[in-house]
Amino acid sequence: MSFRHLIDFGDLSRQEWEELYARCAKIMDDPDAYMEGCRGRVQANLFYEPSTRTNFSFQTAMLRLGGKVFGFADPKSSSTAKGESLKDTIKMVSAYADVIVMRSPKEGAAKAASIYSETPVINAGDGGHMHPTQTLADLTTIQRYRGSIDDLNIGLCGDLKNGRTVHSLIKALAKFDNIRFYLIAPRELAVPEYMRAFMRERGMKFVEVTGLEPVIPMLDVLYMTRIQQERFSSPWEYEQVRGIYVLTRKKLERAKPDMMVLHPLPRVDEISVDVDDDPRAYYFEQARCGMYIRMALLMDLANQPHRIPGPVEIGATPRCSNPNCITQSEKYLPPLTKLVGGVECCAYCDKEL
Ligand code: CP
């Protein structure tokens, strides 16, 4: 693999995805053959935000490969609570561990960590921005149970503004052929402009609609998402959209008999419990696939040699105005930018500058 950190799905080529999936499929078929895959390796799980699937599946992935895990699930138990910077935390932890798995409420936090880390950093979710290993779980499920990711009509439904899994999945599907997106969201929770710019730049086909039921019959995959209550600025705003989409067994009557229902989980009320036993419900299997594809990823990244990063420019004032961007709190970060659709954007959170 050519990538050292996994921050954004754009870090992987299609060929790298295919190699990763091929290893994952072998692990799924014979997990005992990989019990030594990370023997002697140590993984640090730094979770600044709650998690069930990502934290535990990364832990079990490393344990099943014969490695060890340490870390925290509550930053109050680390020196972050005393005011330690992200840079200092990462410099220390990357000296102790062979790979860092990091989740943060701040957009661009994993990218920032990768600048100072001597070991690979894996983005386990950064605010409402990206969640590339969830995308690995999503693609693994589609590939294994549909047989192909190409030629896909996919509906993304729910909170497309704050749903980081959606943003990562759109980026990943840019690498596949003949994908058509149905982006199903209320106007206030539509995809961010930087994602539209990304899709337009690549000539990707997408339509934005507000209703789920009219488009269900067209879909090969329906990807439901939770309304991300924790990312709203007020309880009142959340109440306006709470429960706006609920997939029920009744609604599935109009879907194709082989449509796959995916959800990154956790769910709140957007998929009714009566859907769970429908053969089209793949979301629990999707979470299981997530552990195996993370095993495949760790075999690459945790086995890389440590590499001390070179010095970087010290920032002064953040150029990015996104209040949730990591550059707002870690002001020493170098002021990195990139072009998306010809527009200059923050290289940490992707927002237009
Ligand atoms: N899908 C996912 O990221 O779940 P957790 O928040 O439980 O890790």
Side-chain angles (χ1 to χ4, degrees), residues 74-102:
D74 178 358
K76 291 199 197 82
S77 67
S78 79
S79 284
T80 304
K82 302 175 200 162
E84 184 167 63
S85 69
L86 178 66
K87 174 182 176 179
D88 289 3
T89 301
I90 294 298
K91 283 189 84 66
M92 293 299 92
V93 173
S94 73
Y96 305 149
D98 300 303
V99 64
I100 295 176
V101 178
M102 180 178 162

mmCIF file of all heavy atoms in Angstrom, residues 74-102:
data_model
loop_
_atom_site.group_PDB
_atom_site.id
_atom_site.type_symbol
_atom_site.label_atom_id
_atom_site.label_comp_id
_atom_site.label_asym_id
_atom_site.label_seq_id
_atom_site.Cartn_x
_atom_site.Cartn_y
_atom_site.Cartn_z
ATOM 1 N N ASP A 74 -12.444 8.162 27.051
ATOM 2 C CA ASP A 74 -12.917 9.418 27.640
ATOM 3 C C ASP A 74 -11.695 10.329 27.817
ATOM 4 O O ASP A 74 -10.824 10.039 28.644
ATOM 5 C CB ASP A 74 -13.568 9.128 28.999
ATOM 6 C CG ASP A 74 -14.043 10.405 29.674
ATOM 7 O OD1 ASP A 74 -13.827 11.505 29.106
ATOM 8 O OD2 ASP A 74 -14.617 10.303 30.765
ATOM 9 N N PRO A 75 -11.604 11.406 27.034
ATOM 10 C CA PRO A 75 -10.398 12.243 27.110
ATOM 11 C C PRO A 75 -10.175 12.858 28.487
ATOM 12 O O PRO A 75 -9.054 13.271 28.799
ATOM 13 C CB PRO A 75 -10.649 13.322 26.050
ATOM 14 C CG PRO A 75 -12.120 13.317 25.822
ATOM 15 C CD PRO A 75 -12.595 11.921 26.092
ATOM 16 N N LYS A 76 -11.199 12.875 29.344
ATOM 17 C CA LYS A 76 -11.014 13.429 30.701
ATOM 18 C C LYS A 76 -10.020 12.585 31.501
ATOM 19 O O LYS A 76 -9.472 13.040 32.504
ATOM 20 C CB LYS A 76 -12.356 13.485 31.438
ATOM 21 C CG LYS A 76 -13.323 14.521 30.879
ATOM 22 C CD LYS A 76 -14.411 14.848 31.907
ATOM 23 C CE LYS A 76 -15.607 15.526 31.284
ATOM 24 N NZ LYS A 76 -16.552 14.576 30.658
ATOM 25 N N SER A 77 -9.794 11.347 31.066
ATOM 26 C CA SER A 77 -8.837 10.498 31.782
ATOM 27 C C SER A 77 -7.421 10.654 31.233
ATOM 28 O O SER A 77 -6.505 9.947 31.653
ATOM 29 C CB SER A 77 -9.267 9.029 31.687
ATOM 30 O OG SER A 77 -9.147 8.586 30.349
ATOM 31 N N SER A 78 -7.227 11.561 30.276
ATOM 32 C CA SER A 78 -5.889 11.802 29.732
ATOM 33 C C SER A 78 -5.456 13.228 30.081
ATOM 34 O O SER A 78 -6.256 14.026 30.599
ATOM 35 C CB SER A 78 -5.899 11.647 28.201
ATOM 36 O OG SER A 78 -6.436 12.809 27.602
ATOM 37 N N SER A 79 -4.212 13.566 29.744
ATOM 38 C CA SER A 79 -3.722 14.917 30.075
ATOM 39 C C SER A 79 -4.317 16.001 29.176
ATOM 40 O O SER A 79 -4.033 17.183 29.376
ATOM 41 C CB SER A 79 -2.190 14.953 30.028
ATOM 42 O OG SER A 79 -1.681 14.332 31.182
ATOM 43 N N THR A 80 -5.151 15.623 28.227
ATOM 44 C CA THR A 80 -5.933 16.617 27.478
ATOM 45 C C THR A 80 -6.734 17.463 28.475
ATOM 46 O O THR A 80 -6.903 18.668 28.291
ATOM 47 C CB THR A 80 -6.903 15.895 26.509
ATOM 48 O OG1 THR A 80 -6.142 15.040 25.678
ATOM 49 C CG2 THR A 80 -7.699 16.881 25.672
ATOM 50 N N ALA A 81 -7.229 16.786 29.535
ATOM 51 C CA ALA A 81 -8.027 17.488 30.546
ATOM 52 C C ALA A 81 -7.205 18.545 31.285
ATOM 53 O O ALA A 81 -7.752 19.461 31.889
ATOM 54 C CB ALA A 81 -8.599 16.478 31.541
ATOM 55 N N LYS A 82 -5.857 18.427 31.241
ATOM 56 C CA LYS A 82 -4.992 19.432 31.894
ATOM 57 C C LYS A 82 -4.555 20.498 30.912
ATOM 58 O O LYS A 82 -3.722 21.343 31.227
ATOM 59 C CB LYS A 82 -3.755 18.746 32.473
ATOM 60 C CG LYS A 82 -4.040 17.657 33.471
ATOM 61 C CD LYS A 82 -2.717 16.991 33.860
ATOM 62 C CE LYS A 82 -2.933 15.618 34.455
ATOM 63 N NZ LYS A 82 -1.700 14.824 34.442
ATOM 64 N N GLY A 83 -5.026 20.387 29.659
ATOM 65 C CA GLY A 83 -4.698 21.413 28.667
ATOM 66 C C GLY A 83 -3.598 21.008 27.702
ATOM 67 O O GLY A 83 -3.085 21.852 26.957
ATOM 68 N N GLU A 84 -3.217 19.736 27.694
ATOM 69 C CA GLU A 84 -2.162 19.315 26.761
ATOM 70 C C GLU A 84 -2.650 19.445 25.317
ATOM 71 O O GLU A 84 -3.804 19.144 25.001
ATOM 72 C CB GLU A 84 -1.744 17.868 27.045
ATOM 73 C CG GLU A 84 -0.581 17.427 26.168
ATOM 74 C CD GLU A 84 0.062 16.125 26.633
ATOM 75 O OE1 GLU A 84 -0.613 15.095 26.621
ATOM 76 O OE2 GLU A 84 1.245 16.163 27.024
ATOM 77 N N SER A 85 -1.751 19.885 24.436
ATOM 78 C CA SER A 85 -2.121 20.061 23.028
ATOM 79 C C SER A 85 -2.206 18.709 22.330
ATOM 80 O O SER A 85 -1.612 17.721 22.780
ATOM 81 C CB SER A 85 -1.089 20.930 22.316
ATOM 82 O OG SER A 85 0.129 20.216 22.207
ATOM 83 N N LEU A 86 -2.895 18.712 21.193
ATOM 84 C CA LEU A 86 -2.971 17.489 20.384
ATOM 85 C C LEU A 86 -1.581 17.087 19.911
ATOM 86 O O LEU A 86 -1.217 15.909 19.927
ATOM 87 C CB LEU A 86 -3.908 17.723 19.188
ATOM 88 C CG LEU A 86 -4.046 16.544 18.238
ATOM 89 C CD1 LEU A 86 -4.733 15.368 18.909
ATOM 90 C CD2 LEU A 86 -4.827 16.953 16.994
ATOM 91 N N LYS A 87 -0.795 18.081 19.512
ATOM 92 C CA LYS A 87 0.566 17.788 19.028
ATOM 93 C C LYS A 87 1.359 17.010 20.075
ATOM 94 O O LYS A 87 1.972 15.975 19.769
ATOM 95 C CB LYS A 87 1.288 19.106 18.696
ATOM 96 C CG LYS A 87 2.740 18.908 18.334
ATOM 97 C CD LYS A 87 3.454 20.228 18.057
ATOM 98 C CE LYS A 87 4.929 19.956 17.798
ATOM 99 N NZ LYS A 87 5.691 21.172 17.504
ATOM 100 N N ASP A 88 1.357 17.494 21.330
ATOM 101 C CA ASP A 88 2.157 16.838 22.366
ATOM 102 C C ASP A 88 1.625 15.437 22.665
ATOM 103 O O ASP A 88 2.396 14.499 22.870
ATOM 104 C CB ASP A 88 2.192 17.688 23.643
ATOM 105 C CG ASP A 88 3.029 18.953 23.448
ATOM 106 O OD1 ASP A 88 3.522 19.171 22.320
ATOM 107 O OD2 ASP A 88 3.174 19.727 24.413
ATOM 108 N N THR A 89 0.296 15.313 22.706
ATOM 109 C CA THR A 89 -0.293 13.989 22.959
ATOM 110 C C THR A 89 0.160 13.015 21.883
ATOM 111 O O THR A 89 0.586 11.886 22.169
ATOM 112 C CB THR A 89 -1.840 14.086 22.953
ATOM 113 O OG1 THR A 89 -2.244 15.018 23.953
ATOM 114 C CG2 THR A 89 -2.483 12.736 23.234
ATOM 115 N N ILE A 90 0.110 13.449 20.629
ATOM 116 C CA ILE A 90 0.433 12.542 19.525
ATOM 117 C C ILE A 90 1.930 12.214 19.511
ATOM 118 O O ILE A 90 2.321 11.077 19.242
ATOM 119 C CB ILE A 90 -0.026 13.154 18.180
ATOM 120 C CG1 ILE A 90 -1.555 13.249 18.157
ATOM 121 C CG2 ILE A 90 0.513 12.376 16.992
ATOM 122 C CD1 ILE A 90 -2.274 11.906 18.253
ATOM 123 N N LYS A 91 2.765 13.192 19.819
ATOM 124 C CA LYS A 91 4.208 12.904 19.836
ATOM 125 C C LYS A 91 4.523 11.819 20.873
ATOM 126 O O LYS A 91 5.330 10.928 20.636
ATOM 127 C CB LYS A 91 5.009 14.184 20.118
ATOM 128 C CG LYS A 91 5.102 15.096 18.898
ATOM 129 C CD LYS A 91 6.063 16.247 19.105
ATOM 130 C CE LYS A 91 7.498 15.879 18.821
ATOM 131 N NZ LYS A 91 7.761 15.570 17.408
ATOM 132 N N MET A 92 3.839 11.901 22.024
ATOM 133 C CA MET A 92 4.061 10.892 23.069
ATOM 134 C C MET A 92 3.501 9.542 22.646
ATOM 135 O O MET A 92 4.189 8.519 22.681
ATOM 136 C CB MET A 92 3.356 11.331 24.376
ATOM 137 C CG MET A 92 3.933 12.554 25.045
ATOM 138 S SD MET A 92 5.635 12.303 25.538
ATOM 139 C CE MET A 92 6.532 12.894 24.170
ATOM 140 N N VAL A 93 2.207 9.544 22.270
ATOM 141 C CA VAL A 93 1.536 8.263 22.008
ATOM 142 C C VAL A 93 2.181 7.550 20.820
ATOM 143 O O VAL A 93 2.297 6.333 20.816
ATOM 144 C CB VAL A 93 0.020 8.495 21.790
ATOM 145 C CG1 VAL A 93 -0.661 7.209 21.351
ATOM 146 C CG2 VAL A 93 -0.616 9.020 23.062
ATOM 147 N N SER A 94 2.631 8.312 19.837
ATOM 148 C CA SER A 94 3.214 7.642 18.661
ATOM 149 C C SER A 94 4.591 7.061 18.988
ATOM 150 O O SER A 94 5.089 6.210 18.251
ATOM 151 C CB SER A 94 3.270 8.588 17.455
ATOM 152 O OG SER A 94 4.266 9.574 17.595
ATOM 153 N N ALA A 95 5.187 7.511 20.089
ATOM 154 C CA ALA A 95 6.438 6.868 20.529
ATOM 155 C C ALA A 95 6.139 5.557 21.268
ATOM 156 O O ALA A 95 6.980 4.675 21.317
ATOM 157 C CB ALA A 95 7.214 7.813 21.443
ATOM 158 N N TYR A 96 4.930 5.444 21.837
ATOM 159 C CA TYR A 96 4.565 4.233 22.596
ATOM 160 C C TYR A 96 3.932 3.155 21.720
ATOM 161 O O TYR A 96 4.007 1.977 22.043
ATOM 162 C CB TYR A 96 3.540 4.578 23.694
ATOM 163 C CG TYR A 96 3.934 5.671 24.660
ATOM 164 C CD1 TYR A 96 2.961 6.492 25.231
ATOM 165 C CD2 TYR A 96 5.260 5.866 25.032
ATOM 166 C CE1 TYR A 96 3.302 7.489 26.132
ATOM 167 C CE2 TYR A 96 5.599 6.870 25.929
ATOM 168 C CZ TYR A 96 4.618 7.680 26.477
ATOM 169 O OH TYR A 96 4.938 8.659 27.358
ATOM 170 N N ALA A 97 3.237 3.593 20.648
ATOM 171 C CA ALA A 97 2.398 2.660 19.877
ATOM 172 C C ALA A 97 2.905 2.524 18.446
ATOM 173 O O ALA A 97 3.679 3.354 17.966
ATOM 174 C CB ALA A 97 0.959 3.161 19.872
ATOM 175 N N ASP A 98 2.447 1.493 17.747
ATOM 176 C CA ASP A 98 2.819 1.273 16.346
ATOM 177 C C ASP A 98 1.752 1.783 15.386
ATOM 178 O O ASP A 98 1.991 1.891 14.180
ATOM 179 C CB ASP A 98 3.044 -0.230 16.107
ATOM 180 C CG ASP A 98 4.149 -0.757 17.003
ATOM 181 O OD1 ASP A 98 5.268 -0.218 16.923
ATOM 182 O OD2 ASP A 98 3.880 -1.660 17.805
ATOM 183 N N VAL A 99 0.570 2.067 15.903
ATOM 184 C CA VAL A 99 -0.502 2.635 15.077
ATOM 185 C C VAL A 99 -1.448 3.374 16.023
ATOM 186 O O VAL A 99 -1.627 2.955 17.171
ATOM 187 C CB VAL A 99 -1.237 1.518 14.280
ATOM 188 C CG1 VAL A 99 -1.938 0.534 15.192
ATOM 189 C CG2 VAL A 99 -2.212 2.087 13.258
ATOM 190 N N ILE A 100 -2.008 4.487 15.537
ATOM 191 C CA ILE A 100 -2.938 5.275 16.355
ATOM 192 C C ILE A 100 -4.298 5.299 15.662
ATOM 193 O O ILE A 100 -4.393 5.637 14.479
ATOM 194 C CB ILE A 100 -2.431 6.724 16.548
ATOM 195 C CG1 ILE A 100 -1.135 6.723 17.357
ATOM 196 C CG2 ILE A 100 -3.488 7.595 17.220
ATOM 197 C CD1 ILE A 100 -0.498 8.103 17.513
ATOM 198 N N VAL A 101 -5.333 4.933 16.419
ATOM 199 C CA VAL A 101 -6.715 5.009 15.928
ATOM 200 C C VAL A 101 -7.366 6.140 16.702
ATOM 201 O O VAL A 101 -7.407 6.108 17.934
ATOM 202 C CB VAL A 101 -7.453 3.676 16.181
ATOM 203 C CG1 VAL A 101 -8.897 3.785 15.713
ATOM 204 C CG2 VAL A 101 -6.733 2.524 15.485
ATOM 205 N N MET A 102 -7.848 7.140 15.993
ATOM 206 C CA MET A 102 -8.262 8.358 16.685
ATOM 207 C C MET A 102 -9.632 8.847 16.239
ATOM 208 O O MET A 102 -9.900 8.976 15.049
ATOM 209 C CB MET A 102 -7.231 9.448 16.382
ATOM 210 C CG MET A 102 -7.543 10.751 17.045
ATOM 211 S SD MET A 102 -6.217 11.907 16.663
ATOM 212 C CE MET A 102 -7.067 13.404 17.065
#
